[in-house]
């Protein structure tokens, strides 16, 4: 598959066209940002970890019946994916209180939530990705009620499958972010990434962070933590 023009360069990935109009190539970078771009840096080896981990988890989810954009791993940092029209929502699923939810609701970080929490943020950097509910989403016209119901159903199933899978690797799935898009037939499929950049992964026993919070909070050790996730999930 020939890589063609660069279509988009985001904070963590580049997206390229290919000679097939229905396929894109995503290339993962080591660049790291936090606080909507306020903090910038590099996590050495992050691109490789996020690419390999995302692909591994998407293959697992496909086997469990979740449609994803994953097509083929091309290299340690590049993957062929189905082109989608991204639905501009960040779908956040939470099992344990952490980050912005802990702050907003005054809950101690690490408190198990008695019910899984699903949140939506409107993906708009200029607005700072504001939280929205299903009424806002309908008013904005970013997804139909049917699409949103499908997104919620997939998200809950992904939470279940991913949580079980990660537990077997000694990782607790605290919370994570998903993005969905419409494929060439208009079907809703999982897109973007599932990685230590977009999930809170805690060691089951010690609750040590194995994710981007090490970078966001200046705790250090992020390179080792990302490598540890790759090792636990892929044995590499
Ligand atoms: P950001 O845009 O937040 O800086 P990235 O650096 O990860 O994020 O950029 C990747 C971009 O590609 C995101 O905007 C994401 O929504 C988009 N994207 C992910 N998967 C696909 C896909 N299969 N088709 C089209 N766009 C995609
Ligand atoms: N998240 C993400 N991208 C974002 C915002 C959040 O991937 O732009 C993920 C984040 O890694 C965490 C979850 O979504 O796993 C919940 O994040 P939270 O709302 O607590 O945000 P934060 O504490 O990072 O401000």
């Amino acid at each position: 598959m020939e890589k063609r023009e660069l279509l988009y360069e985001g904070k963590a990935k580049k997206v390229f066209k290919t000679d097939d109009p229905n396929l894109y190539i995503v290339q993962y970078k080591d660049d790291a940002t936090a606080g909507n771009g306020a903090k910038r840096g590099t996590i050495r080896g992050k691109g490789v970890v996020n690419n390999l981990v995302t692909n591994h988890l998407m293959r697992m989810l496909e086997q469990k019946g979740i449609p994803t954009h994953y097509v083929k791993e091309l290299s340690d940092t590049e993957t062929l994916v189905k082109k989608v029209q991204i639905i501009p929502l960040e779908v956040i699923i939470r099992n344990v209180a952490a980050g912005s939810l802990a702050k907003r609701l005054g809950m101690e970080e690490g408190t198990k939530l008695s019910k899984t929490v699903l949140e939506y943020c409107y993906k708009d950097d200029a607005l700072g990705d504001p939280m929205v509910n299903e009424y806002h989403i309908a008013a904005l016209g970013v997804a139909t009620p049917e699409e949103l119901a499908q997104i919620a159903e997939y998200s809950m199933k992904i939470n279940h499958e991913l949580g079980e899978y990660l537990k077997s690797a000694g990782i607790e799935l605290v919370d994570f972010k998903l993005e969905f898009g419409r494929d060439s037939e208009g079907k809703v499929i999982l897109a973007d990434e599932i990685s230590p950049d977009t999930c809170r992964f805690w060691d089951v026993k010690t609750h040590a962070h194995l994710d981007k919070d090490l970078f966001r909070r200046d705790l250090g050790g992020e390179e080792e933590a990302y490598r540890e996730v790759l090792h636990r999930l892929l044995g590499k």
Side-chain angles (χ1 to χ4, degrees):
M1 188 59 55
E2 275 306 306
K3 195 154 127 186
R4 301 288 179 194
E5 72 187 88
L6 174 68
L7 201 66
Y8 175 79
E9 175 156 11
K11 297 184 285 284
K13 300 191 285 300
K14 291 180 184 176
V15 181
F16 295 89
K17 283 192 178 177
T18 67
D19 37 19
D20 183 328
N22 286 320
L23 300 176
Y24 282 167
I25 291 172
V26 292
Q27 185 182 340
Y28 288 73
K29 308 192 289 180
D30 286 353
D31 301 353
T33 63
N36 197 13
K39 178 177 157 78
R40 287 170 189 278
T42 305
I43 302 175
R44 245 188 317 134
K46 176 170 87 76
V48 173
V49 172
N50 287 0
N51 182 47
L52 300 183
V53 166
T54 293
N55 295 341
H56 183 71
L57 295 175
M58 286 209 185
R59 286 189 296 256
M60 183 278 288
L61 290 170
E62 283 275 0
Q63 287 196 342
K64 303 286 184 183
I66 304 287
T68 78
H69 74 168
Y70 174 78
V71 177
K72 187 171 187 255
E73 197 164 273
L74 300 177
S75 75
D76 272 0
T77 55
E78 293 168 304
T79 296
L80 192 64
V81 300
K82 289 179 193 148
K83 166 189 176 174
V84 299
Q85 181 190 33
I86 289 285
I87 296 167
L89 293 174
E90 295 195 334
V91 183
I92 295 174
I93 302 95
R94 302 177 181 273
N95 300 301
V96 173
S100 70
L101 175 120
K103 215 182 250 174
R104 198 169 62 244
L105 300 185
M107 294 177 84
E108 193 184 343
E109 194 162 76
T111 310
K112 171 120 183 67
L113 298 167
S114 55
K115 193 175 190 300
T116 301
V117 170
L118 192 68
E119 295 171 357
Y120 303 104
C121 293
Y122 179 42
K123 231 173 106 68
D124 185 316
D125 280 344
L127 298 175
D129 299 339
M131 195 193 287
V132 289
N133 64 27
E134 50 197 285
Y135 294 89
H136 300 113
I137 292 167
L140 285 165
V142 297
T144 67
E146 292 74 26
E147 286 173 333
L148 200 60
Q150 181 67 266
I151 286 171
E153 188 191 319
Y154 283 153
S155 298
M156 287 300 187
K157 175 149 193 219
I158 292 167
N159 185 44
H160 176 73
E161 299 295 352
L162 209 53
E164 289 294 303
Y165 183 75
L166 292 166
K167 208 189 296 170
S168 68
I171 295 172
E172 181 171 9
L173 181 59
V174 170
D175 58 30
F176 59 108
K177 185 267 298 178
L178 298 173
E179 292 183 27
F180 294 86
R182 301 176 189 98
D183 69 8
S184 57
E185 294 169 356
K187 283 209 277 294
V188 170
I189 66 174
L190 179 66
D192 207 53
E193 64 176 286
I194 308 176
S195 73
D197 266 16
T198 62
C199 304
R200 284 196 170 91
F201 291 150
W202 290 1
D203 180 84
V204 165
K205 287 208 190 91
T206 65
H207 285 187
H209 298 283
L210 298 170
D211 56 52
K212 201 169 142 190
D213 271 348
L214 295 168
F215 171 81
R216 291 191 190 100
R217 301 177 183 187
D218 294 317
L219 297 170
E222 50 270 32
E223 285 172 24
E224 296 75 11
Y226 277 65
R227 276 205 299 274
E228 174 69 17
V229 172
L230 183 66
H231 180 69
R232 289 197 196 184
L233 298 184
L234 284 104
K236 292 194 188 188

